[in-house]
Amino acid sequence: MQGTMMHMPLRIIEILDYAAQAHPGAEIVSVRTEGDIHRETYAQAYARAAQLAHALAGLGVKQGDRVATLAWNGYRHFELYYAVSGMGAICHTINPRLSAEQMLYIIEHAGDEVLCVDLTFVPIIEALADQLPKGLKLVALTDRAHMPDSALDWLCYEEMLAGQAQTFDWPQVSEDAAAGLCYTSGTTGHPKGALYSHRSTVLHALFLSISVPRSLHEGSHILPVVPMFHVNSWGLPYAAPLAGASLIMPGGKLDGPSIFDLMENEGVTAAWGVPTVWLGLRAEIEARDAMPSALDQLVIGGSAAPRPMIEFFEKRGVDVCHAWGMTEMSPVGTHGQLSKSMLDLPFEERMATKAKQGRRVFGVELKISDDNGRALPQDGKSVGELYVRGNTVISGYFNNEDATQAAFDPDGWFGTGDVASIDPQGFLYIQDRAKDLIKSGGEWISSLDLENIAIAHPKVANCAVIAVPHPKWDERPLLVVVPRDAGDPPTLEEIHAMLLEHMAKWQLPDAMEFVEDLPLTATGKVSKLTLRQWFAGYVLPDAG
Ligand code: ADP
């Protein structure tokens, strides 16, 4: 028997419609590329999204068309998210840190009709001009006074909006219609597209709000350092308005001092981002010997949050919530918000729990499998490849049959490529990406475990571990260190002594090399691929 309830399609635009009415006090505060700070309420953003939808319709954008963005976190990007999906088109966010070749590939593959660009990234497009698809319309995200001096034909965003009606008859698109497109950064092969639907996006926003209420609640001021050009800024542009939280958008200013000042000036209560950006904030906190005064929670994900980083912030009164996810999962899959009973645990135990990647969000199921595809027990000891399924997980890649074929197990679960255990309380612990594990004499060594311990050494500013070939053991770990003081770097013996407190002797790195900085991927994570290239042909001391 069917229930007798109405069925309304879940549509993204309804989030903004709702926020405009229900949360009149919340704002989007943006550091603009023009140099100043801009403020608007959700009601103003909703009206401008309507103007933008009229303008895009005037350019010929129809349902199902792709409108691409190349932009920082800011209010115009936010307006694009809602106007484009609201009118039934698809908002394709492009990561400006991709290589020119990758960018051209995805613009072509996505079939973008319009490309909306922040001033900072105009030179990127000028450099690609000859190779861009014919007919691609370019929009500069600024006003007339700041239009770029460029040989290309740019439309002016503010002029497009000016004079348009502030309401739009948003179409009743199906909740399964595509709304957003984001490509993985494609460390091997071409980038692959995750095509989100209205339904998956709205559900993800709902799941996120109930999972991380300490960030997502009325009156909170959330700073998404995680970019809107990659996996929808972890869903914050949808979850924040839903919850009534204000969004504090940092634009392109992501260094420690700028983030600290923005947090202080805007009373930021919660900030979300990858570990690398918190290294900069941490250095600034140490330099000023002060904390951003309203900061209450940091959500850290995208790569493993090292335990010393978690402890640094926890000791200064900030709740650290470790999260894990992927582009293919909208992206959040687990979060480390502790249950009430765990808050009274002794500090050490609490930190050990927080160093894990947390429990699943509602709507995402996790399983770990052995090499034969058999599900392993969630006992905290069994380690296997992590698979996921749920309403916010892709069912295939956008127009990419080969990648889709390779990504799922016979029961339809998506293979994450991560190797993990899950404990009886449901806490996920990521050991490594399968391709980063170090295979030594038939056993595995987790590069993440080594890094998490070594980074706590007072002479280490940052570090990464990669596998290098070894004639006897197949592979052995090489530790690459950015020393805090190049004049006084740590010795391998000092690092070994520290590692030996937690790891077996055979797991210790065979050698250590120093670099000025670690290479980063387009999503701000340490690029092990580049590190492996830097150290290609490296010969370990006992391997010659
Ligand atoms: P890419 O950076 O290649 O575009 P994603 O942003 O989708 O890809 O990153 C997904 C991957 O990032 C995961 O499969 C996992 O390996 C890693 N990752 C994300 N969050 C965490 C975390 N908290 N701890 C460890 N690894 C993480």
Side-chain angles (χ1 to χ4, degrees):
M1 192 187 291
Q2 294 266 313
T4 55
M5 305 306 287
M6 291 186 189
H7 187 278
M8 316 277 288
L10 296 171
R11 291 179 309 155
I12 290 172
I13 193 67
E14 281 173 21
I15 295 179
L16 192 52
D17 181 14
Y18 169 76
Q21 275 190 345
H23 302 301
E27 282 184 319
I28 308 167
V29 179
S30 311
V31 177
R32 295 208 288 187
T33 47
E34 292 92 336
D36 55 351
I37 298 259
H38 174 273
R39 294 171 187 277
E40 68 183 17
T41 62
Y42 288 127
Q44 287 166 326
Y46 187 45
R48 279 170 54 88
Q51 293 182 303
L52 175 56
H54 286 294
L56 290 172
L59 284 185
V61 173
K62 306 175 301 303
Q63 291 194 19
D65 283 354
R66 270 75 75 198
V67 174
T69 63
L70 194 60
W72 297 114
N73 293 6
Y75 67 108
R76 294 183 182 118
H77 205 175
F78 179 94
E79 291 157 6
L80 278 156
Y81 267 39
Y82 283 92
V84 173
S85 61
M87 64 193 294
I90 298 160
C91 183
H92 169 208
T93 50
I94 301 179
N95 185 335
R97 301 192 189 115
L98 291 178
S99 68
E101 185 194 348
Q102 287 179 326
M103 212 178 275
L104 286 169
Y105 170 82
I106 65 173
I107 291 172
E108 185 83 34
H109 187 266
D112 295 329
E113 306 270 343
V114 181
L115 175 58
C116 304
V117 184
D118 257 343
L119 291 177
T120 329
F121 305 125
V122 164
I124 296 182
I125 296 307
E126 286 180 322
L128 300 180
D130 298 346
Q131 300 161 72
L132 289 173
K134 298 273 166 290
L136 179 70
K137 298 181 185 75
L138 299 175
V139 177
L141 295 172
T142 190
D143 53 20
R144 176 51 56 193
H146 295 87
M147 282 299 280
D149 180 14
S150 166
L152 298 178
D153 205 3
W154 291 96
L155 295 158
C156 169
Y157 182 84
E158 292 300 334
E159 272 182 8
M160 283 168 58
L161 266 64
Q164 302 282 2
Q166 297 192 356
T167 56
F168 191 87
D169 189 11
W170 305 107
Q172 287 289 331
V173 289
S174 150
E175 64 178 15
D176 290 317
L181 176 60
C182 175
Y183 284 76
T184 64
S185 44
T187 41
T188 50
H190 283 309
K192 302 183 288 260
L195 186 62
Y196 312 117
S197 64
H198 283 265
R199 176 183 152 83
S200 70
T201 307
V202 173
L203 289 178
H204 184 265
L206 285 164
F207 298 164
L208 207 56
S209 324
I210 53 169
S211 300
V212 200
R214 191 158 173 168
S215 282
L216 288 158
H217 59 85
E218 194 184 350
S220 91
H221 288 193
I222 306 185
L223 172 75
V225 180
V226 46
M228 291 175 74
F229 57 66
H230 191 63
V231 226
N232 296 334
S233 196
W234 295 350
L236 285 175
Y238 306 115
L242 195 62
S246 292
L247 283 167
I248 314 299
M249 304 289 212
K253 297 212 163 141
L254 304 176
D255 57 288
S258 303
I259 292 287
F260 190 112
D261 287 342
L262 187 61
M263 284 181 160
E264 198 54 43
N265 296 342
E266 297 299 335
V268 166
T269 54
W272 295 35
V274 296
T276 3
V277 298
W278 307 129
L279 285 176
L281 178 65
R282 181 187 165 150
E284 194 57 21
I285 289 169
E286 285 172 327
R288 297 191 197 189
D289 194 19
M291 284 296 288
S293 40
L295 187 62
D296 176 60
Q297 183 172 56
L298 272 192
V299 175
I300 311 183
S303 49
R307 185 161 160 182
M309 174 179 284
I310 299 175
E311 291 187 6
F312 177 88
F313 286 102
E314 287 272 342
K315 282 181 183 157
R316 284 160 182 79
V318 176
D319 176 77
V320 174
C321 174
H322 197 173
W324 166 88
M326 314 182 65
T327 308
E328 291 88 337
M329 301 175 67
S330 305
V332 181
T334 67
H335 67 88
Q337 196 88 79
L338 301 188
S339 25
K340 275 226 163 73
S341 59
M342 293 176 143
L343 295 175
D344 297 328
L345 289 173
F347 185 77
E348 284 298 313
E349 244 175 281
R350 246 186 323 125
M351 293 308 106
T353 309
K354 291 201 166 204
K356 295 181 180 176
Q357 277 77 1
R359 288 191 264 223
R360 69 195 183 100
V361 298
F362 175 74
V364 173
E365 291 177 78
L366 310 175
K367 98 173 162 182
I368 43 171
S369 296
D370 68 12
D371 290 346
N372 299 316
R374 275 191 300 260
L376 292 165
Q378 305 197 351
D379 55 10
K381 293 185 213 93
S382 308
V383 174
E385 184 173 349
L386 177 62
Y387 285 82
V388 293
R389 71 176 179 192
N391 283 308
T392 55
V393 180
I394 60 161
S395 60
Y397 287 102
F398 173 56
N399 277 346
N400 191 335
E401 200 42 47
D402 290 348
T404 300
Q405 287 289 333
F408 297 86
D409 79 1
D411 299 323
W413 293 66
F414 174 75
T416 64
D418 287 342
V419 176
S421 62
I422 302 172
D423 72 18
Q425 283 80 39
F427 278 78
L428 175 72
Y429 180 51
I430 302 280
Q431 311 272 324
D432 227 327
R433 284 196 166 189
K435 56 182 185 291
D436 293 338
L437 271 174
I438 298 142
K439 191 163 39 116
S440 171
E443 299 283 343
W444 298 100
I445 304 173
S446 153
S447 64
L448 280 185
D449 282 350
L450 291 171
E451 290 160 6
N452 275 334
I453 303 167
I455 202 169
H457 194 283
K459 292 182 182 174
V460 174
N462 204 356
C463 68
V465 173
I466 52 166
V468 289
H470 188 284
K472 178 163 172 204
W473 303 111
D474 277 343
E475 291 176 351
R476 291 293 304 160
L478 167 69
L479 173 65
V480 183
V481 165
V482 181
R484 268 189 200 280
D485 174 358
D488 181 26
T491 65
L492 188 57
E493 291 68 34
E494 286 170 343
I495 304 277
H496 276 179
M498 204 170 159
L499 289 168
L500 269 177
E501 290 172 28
H502 307 275
M503 314 254 327
K505 192 152 183 293
W506 66 271
Q507 297 175 316
L508 303 187
D510 289 27
M512 174 167 62
E513 291 293 332
F514 298 111
V515 292
E516 248 173 64
D517 269 316
L518 292 175
L520 298 183
T521 66
T523 49
K525 309 178 193 185
V526 172
S527 171
K528 298 236 170 144
L529 184 76
T530 311
L531 266 185
R532 283 193 282 267
Q533 285 163 354
W534 283 4
F535 291 96
Y538 187 83
V539 181
L540 290 164
D542 74 335

